[in-house]
C-alpha cells in the first residue's frame, strides 16, 4: 500500500500540497511515484511563475512514462527543488520530503477542493 500522510491535501491527479502558513509545498504522492517507476527527470517552472489549480506546471519523466504535473492549488512559485535537477530519483526515495515546487498560495479556499488522507486512500484503492 502506498504511503499517505495525514495533514496533506491530495488531488485526483496524485499531487499533494503541504501547507505551512501561506506557503504550499507541492509534489507527487507515493502512489504516483510507485506508478511511474524510476524517475529520471523532473521538469519544473521558474521562480515567480504563476501556477493555476487544475493546470499543468511541469512534468515528471520515468523509465516507463512521462506524466504532466497538475497544480493542486494556484499561486506564485517562490522556490523550486533544485536538488531534483541532479537527483530526480529523490522523488522515488521519499516523495513527501522531496517536494517539487514551493508556492505562495493565492486562494486557500482551493484547498477545500482537494482530498484529505482518508479520502485519498479510498480514491487510490478504487
Amino acid at each position: 500500500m502506498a504511503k499517505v500522510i495525514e495533514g496533506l491535501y491530495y488531488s485526483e491527479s496524485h499531487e499533494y500540497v503541504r501547507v505551512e502558513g501561506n506557503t504550499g509545498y507541492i509534489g507527487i504522492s507515493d502512489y504516483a511515484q510507485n506508478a511511474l517507476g524510476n524517475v529520471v527527470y523532473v521538469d519544473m517552472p521558474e521562480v515567480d511563475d504563476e501556477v493555476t489549480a487544475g493546470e499543468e506546471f511541469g512534468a515528471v519523466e520515468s523509465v516507463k512514462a512521462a506524466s504532466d504535473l497538475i497544480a493542486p492549488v494556484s499561486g506564485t512559485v517562490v522556490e523550486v527543488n533544485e536538488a531534483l535537477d541532479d537527483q530526480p530519483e529523490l522523488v522515488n526515495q521519499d516523495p513527501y520530503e522531496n517536494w517539487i515546487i514551493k508556492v505562495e498560495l493565492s486562494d486557500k479556499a482551493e484547498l477545500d477542493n482537494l482530498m484529505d488522507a482518508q479520502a485519498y486512500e479510498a480514491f487510490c484503492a478504487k
Side-chain angles (χ1 to χ4, degrees), residues 15 18 25 32 36 39 42 49 58 62 67 72-73 81 87 110:
E15 287 82 15
R18 182 176 86 233
Y25 294 79
L36 279 167
V39 172
V42 181
D49 282 359
S62 72
S67 184
V73 289
N81 188 347
Q87 296 178 285
E110 289 176 342

Side-chain angles (χ1 to χ4, degrees), residues 80-98:
V80 297
N81 188 347
E82 292 179 0
L84 300 178
D85 284 338
D86 296 326
Q87 296 178 285
E89 68 277 4
L90 290 171
V91 171
N92 294 118
Q93 291 167 15
D94 189 339
Y96 299 114
E97 273 302 306
N98 295 292

